[in-house]
Amino acid sequence: MAAGDKPSVTEQALQDARDSLDEGFFPLEFFHDENLHDLEMERIFGQAWVFIGHESEIPEPGDYARRYIGDDAFIFVRDESGEVNLLFDSCRHRGAQVCRAEQGNTSHFRCPYHGWTYKNDGDAAGIPQKSKAFKNLDREEYGLAHVPRLETYEGLVFASLAEEGPSFEEWLGDFKWYFDVHMKLPEGGMEVIGEPHRWVIDANWKTIADNFNGDSYHTAWAHGSVLDLELGGEETVGHAGTGDSLDRHIHCDGHTTSMRGFEDEDVFLTYPEGVVEDLFTKEDLSDAQWKLARQALSFTGAIFPNFGFLHFGDTTDDPEKDVAPFFTIRKWRPLGPDKMELWSWGLAPKNAPEEFKERMYKMYTSNFGPTGNFEQDDVPIWKGITESANGQFASSQNLQLNYQMGLEWMSEMELDDEWLGPGFAYSENLEEGGMRLFHEQWYEMLAGNDRTDATGTPMNVQEDQ
Amino acid sequence: MLAEREEQLEALLVEREVEQFLYYEAELLDNRELHEWFDHVADDINYRMPRRLMRENTASVFSERGYYFNEDYGSLKARVERFDSEYAWAERPPTRTRRYVTNVRVTRDDEALAEDELFVEANLLVYLSRGDSEKHTFFSARREDVLRRRGDTFEIADREIRLDQTVLSTDNISIFL
């Protein structure tokens, strides 16, 4: 501990703070703490299913992209047989990195140190002077290490550093029902346009996790400029808890999504009629999923721990132009208690006309990513939270952040009994249960427990029923 | 001999005019006089900042589809006007910037250019200081512009900004480059 640093949060302190979440409190100091960061890396990022990339980013054999889980660098690569692999980027001889570029295409990776060479499926192909230098080394045992578990869902590739644990299907649980709506609505699915935006910001990763887990309350304030300029409609960007829209906050198996929409209207996220008619299909969706898509104007959501998405309609880059939708997915990669790298991808329906895909990508960059008219204003706020959490004061005064919105003594909050999908759907978007759910799972995993200990019935529902 | 000399002198004067315009433009942006800056944007502008790629064997390669900016007059205008809003938090208070424009080269005989247009390449280094802190960052880029004469000044008819980073070290890009 450097002189002047505050003492780090101990596991005991963590346990003691846990109960206050039931009252809707979470300590500010937890947004900036070395010990917690180390614990998070070991017990969350060492266990969880973490997003790697979309298959459409590496369409051809040999295509690769360098990707990360926490501090570990991997090569996300399609081998000659078309299989997707995730190989630890470290030569088995002396540990040097064998992949230097961010993206590319190669049949082999060659270590710059002593020339060990690996095929793009990870197998060791060449060891210089092997017959003299390593005559008894079994080449088969010396391929690049594969990540223990790798799963693909609708082209989205997730991986886990843990040998054992819940399968990806179990991890996603019934939330798949919601994500299917995004990925399967257009015939042929979704594809990534271009390469992800990447930028490093001085903020704790949990600030953005909070934001994507149902912060409908911030939109009109943090993004008031978008409203002022009419780049987004009142129903998309306007104040939570107002207007005639169908607003729902949904918690489902530890993941969340918030939506705005219009009951019994054909909204389809403001996709143009041609795209809806030509591409949108009920084939892989249930009637209820189709109905959800039909009524939806916008979705925000997060898959625990560090994957977020936005599928928005009714925004534009120019008040004189028509509105159009965008679809973006992202990951936040912790680099320290006060640092993370944001990765953000723009997607579009694979089989849509090229011109429309370009328009969707344009809408994505106009709204999100480092130049987005929304996102420009978010990041400095998250940075501020992290700074406030850093000093003595948050700790010495035991400052508690308030997550009480939606708890029964704070708001009239009802569940929608008729809700068409799985999980729990709140009839209002003025509630912060998605963030509490995120932090509950965070507590469970840091304590070494199963995350699902926290993903059952929401705490305020348990009280009532 | 004399004619050649005159041609060289003429080229020198044009270069000086272009440089003075780029310095003036940098000053407007550093002073955050965005509307005055936007007065120098042509109504047929294409303002682009493609995403730089990092590849094994190529020093300078940019995405064919991915970008940070790809603006026309209307969307660039919206970005300028957004900063008039009291809710545009990224620039409240404004980033302190200083733009250094160097290595300016002017080409006139490009076939794609109209009579009154010049193709201008330059390097750009922007210092950014934000918030109540000593911290700062830089954007380093190469710029390719088409400048069009308008009276005794220029308007920007086309701009491509080729940033040198692939992973950005910044909260956001809430300034114009």
Side-chain angles (χ1 to χ4, degrees):
Chain A
M1 193 173 85
D5 279 0
K6 72 184 170 78
S8 260
V9 173
T10 61
E11 291 202 44
Q12 185 59 48
L14 196 59
Q15 223 174 313
D16 295 345
R18 167 70 185 82
D19 288 345
S20 67
L21 188 60
D22 293 344
E23 307 295 318
F25 294 119
F26 189 78
L28 173 58
E29 65 169 317
F30 287 8
F31 284 94
H32 193 310
D33 188 89
E34 285 284 351
N35 259 12
L36 290 182
H37 172 70
D38 293 345
L39 277 179
E40 286 168 353
M41 296 320 284
E42 176 198 334
R43 297 187 185 171
I44 297 179
F45 292 92
Q47 303 291 326
W49 285 93
V50 173
F51 182 61
I52 300 301
H54 191 272
E55 281 193 317
S56 63
E57 295 180 81
I58 49 166
E60 303 298 328
D63 283 351
Y64 69 86
R66 214 153 181 276
R67 294 291 151 93
Y68 301 83
I69 300 177
D71 296 325
D72 294 314
F74 291 90
I75 313 167
F76 174 47
V77 56
R78 192 179 291 276
D79 64 32
E80 298 306 311
S81 71
E83 290 294 311
V84 171
N85 303 268
L86 194 66
L87 310 169
F88 187 52
D89 187 10
S90 177
C91 180
R92 293 295 307 285
H93 174 225
R94 201 60 94 243
Q97 295 185 328
V98 301
C99 175
R100 287 159 300 277
E102 181 191 25
Q103 240 169 298
N105 181 286
T106 190
S107 61
H108 291 79
F109 296 95
R110 183 190 292 149
C111 180
Y113 208 177
H114 305 95
W116 284 34
T117 304
Y118 302 90
K119 288 194 235 168
N120 54 20
D121 61 4
D123 287 354
I127 294 170
Q129 286 120 308
K130 182 176 182 306
S131 58
K132 276 175 91 175
F134 285 105
K135 61 180 180 183
N136 288 320
L137 185 142
D138 182 357
R139 202 184 267 119
E140 280 185 17
E141 287 179 12
Y142 276 85
L144 292 175
H146 286 255
V147 76
R149 293 185 299 157
L150 189 69
E151 290 285 345
T152 302
Y153 155 69
E154 294 301 314
L156 300 165
V157 179
F158 288 80
S160 168
L161 295 183
E163 295 282 349
E164 287 172 14
S167 66
F168 179 69
E169 208 182 330
E170 288 165 339
W171 187 270
L172 195 56
D174 283 341
F175 195 72
K176 180 176 183 294
W177 191 93
Y178 294 99
F179 220 72
D180 278 351
V181 173
H182 302 289
M183 302 307 289
K184 295 180 178 176
L185 183 60
E187 171 264 313
M190 292 283 184
E191 68 172 1
V192 163
I193 310 292
E195 298 75 17
H197 289 115
R198 298 172 59 184
W199 69 117
V200 174
I201 65 173
D202 296 329
N204 183 273
W205 68 281
K206 296 189 292 297
T207 60
I208 185 171
D210 265 350
N211 184 276
F212 273 73
N213 278 293
D215 194 336
S216 302
Y217 191 46
H218 88 295
T219 318
W221 293 107
H223 306 301
S225 71
V226 174
L227 260 184
D228 277 358
L229 219 63
E230 294 175 3
L231 295 174
E234 186 69 41
E235 297 299 350
T236 313
V237 196
H239 285 282
T242 62
D244 304 323
S245 49
L246 172 78
D247 301 333
R248 292 289 180 272
H249 272 191
I250 297 136
H251 307 170
C252 185
D253 287 336
H255 319 296
T256 71
T257 186
S258 35
M259 73 162 287
R260 292 188 180 195
F262 291 98
E263 207 143 15
D264 295 323
E265 286 186 36
D266 288 326
V267 189
F268 284 117
L269 298 136
T270 71
Y271 276 85
E273 231 174 85
V275 172
V276 172
E277 277 167 19
D278 296 347
L279 276 186
F280 284 6
T281 170
K282 296 170 82 163
E283 201 162 305
D284 295 320
L285 299 177
S286 68
D287 288 347
Q289 284 172 310
W290 179 257
K291 189 177 173 191
L292 180 70
R294 188 168 72 82
Q295 298 181 342
L297 183 65
S298 70
F299 288 100
T300 304
I303 295 174
F304 189 87
N306 68 331
F307 177 88
F309 61 92
L310 298 153
H311 201 170
F312 266 42
D314 196 28
T315 64
T316 184
D317 57 346
D318 174 359
E320 306 290 316
K321 294 195 191 89
D322 290 341
V323 297
F326 66 88
F327 182 34
T328 173
I329 61 176
R330 60 172 50 205
K331 75 187 259 184
W332 39 93
R333 174 192 168 212
L335 296 175
D338 59 352
K339 208 181 261 297
M340 66 176 142
E341 180 181 1
L342 292 180
W343 291 66
S344 174
W345 291 258
L347 290 89
K350 184 168 187 270
N351 293 332
E354 200 53 40
E355 199 183 330
F356 177 68
K357 288 199 240 185
E358 283 173 17
R359 184 68 186 148
M360 273 189 80
Y361 186 80
K362 176 70 176 78
M363 298 312 304
Y364 151 62
T365 59
S366 294
N367 290 296
F368 286 88
T371 50
N373 286 325
F374 277 82
E375 183 133 27
Q376 284 177 36
D377 293 334
D378 279 316
V379 174
I381 296 172
W382 300 331
K383 199 165 134 179
I385 297 168
T386 308
E387 267 186 37
S388 300
N390 182 32
Q392 302 292 324
F393 201 76
S395 168
S396 64
Q397 298 293 309
N398 191 21
L399 291 181
Q400 300 287 323
L401 301 185
N402 185 303
Y403 292 79
Q404 293 178 321
M405 203 202 303
L407 289 171
E408 65 273 12
W409 68 94
M410 278 293 167
S411 341
E412 298 288 319
M413 190 51 55
E414 282 176 13
L415 285 174
D416 181 349
D417 297 332
E418 319 260 283
W419 181 244
L420 40 73
F424 300 90
Y426 291 89
S427 316
E428 276 277 4
N429 56 8
L430 272 175
E431 68 92 40
E432 293 170 337
M435 295 172 228
R436 291 192 301 270
L437 178 61
F438 168 80
H439 292 293
E440 283 181 270
Q441 296 173 85
W442 179 84
Y443 274 121
E444 293 299 344
M445 288 198 77
L446 286 200
N449 300 334
D450 194 325
R451 165 185 89 83
T452 54
D453 291 353
T455 59
T457 313
M459 54 179 84
N460 53 337
V461 177
Q462 281 168 330
E463 304 271 328
D464 294 350
Q465 292 166 6
Chain B
M1 183 69 189
L2 199 62
E4 197 183 312
R5 193 79 186 151
E6 259 176 38
E7 215 171 279
Q8 285 172 341
L9 278 171
E10 177 60 26
L12 201 63
L13 287 172
V14 169
E15 276 170 36
R16 187 182 152 78
E17 268 185 290
V18 164
E19 282 170 359
Q20 289 300 313
F21 173 73
L22 294 179
Y23 300 158
Y24 169 67
E25 187 214 351
E27 188 183 346
L28 290 178
L29 289 172
D30 286 339
N31 292 342
R32 242 183 135 73
E33 295 175 76
L34 299 184
H35 290 277
E36 288 75 8
W37 173 74
F38 196 69
D39 287 343
H40 289 275
V41 167
D43 57 14
D44 59 346
I45 192 168
N46 180 224
Y47 177 94
R48 300 178 300 282
M49 185 157 94
R51 187 195 187 283
R52 179 182 279 275
L53 306 176
M54 197 256 273
R55 294 290 182 267
E56 180 85 24
N57 300 315
T58 324
S60 185
V61 53
F62 289 83
S63 177
E64 285 170 17
R65 302 178 88 188
Y67 53 76
Y68 302 95
F69 289 114
N70 185 5
E71 312 302 320
D72 61 15
Y73 186 81
S75 68
L76 196 56
K77 183 162 179 268
R79 286 183 179 277
V80 167
E81 290 177 349
R82 195 179 78 80
F83 293 113
D84 295 338
S85 164
E86 60 176 315
Y87 294 103
W89 304 106
E91 288 296 324
R92 289 178 79 85
T95 309
R96 282 93 63 196
T97 61
R98 193 63 56 202
R99 288 165 175 75
Y100 299 85
V101 184
T102 67
N103 305 52
V104 177
R105 280 195 295 191
V106 181
T107 316
R108 275 182 296 182
D109 49 6
D110 189 317
E111 277 174 27
L113 295 174
E115 185 83 357
D116 56 351
E117 290 176 343
L118 300 166
F119 183 74
V120 179
E121 295 164 277
N123 288 355
L124 176 70
L125 184 69
V126 191
Y127 165 91
L128 299 92
S129 177
R130 282 172 161 161
D132 192 16
S133 146
E134 85 296 353
K135 285 182 185 159
H136 58 265
T137 188
F138 292 95
F139 292 146
S140 169
R142 176 169 179 75
R143 250 182 4 198
E144 293 182 0
D145 296 339
V146 173
L147 299 184
R148 188 181 294 148
R149 285 193 183 279
R150 196 181 64 196
D152 56 1
T153 183
F154 291 100
E155 58 181 24
I156 307 159
D158 192 274
R159 171 163 289 175
E160 182 158 303
I161 306 139
R162 301 185 151 205
L163 214 59
D164 291 317
Q165 280 180 313
T166 53
V167 182
L168 310 183
S169 53
T170 178
D171 295 353
N172 50 29
I173 303 177
S174 54
I175 64 168
F176 297 98
L177 296 163

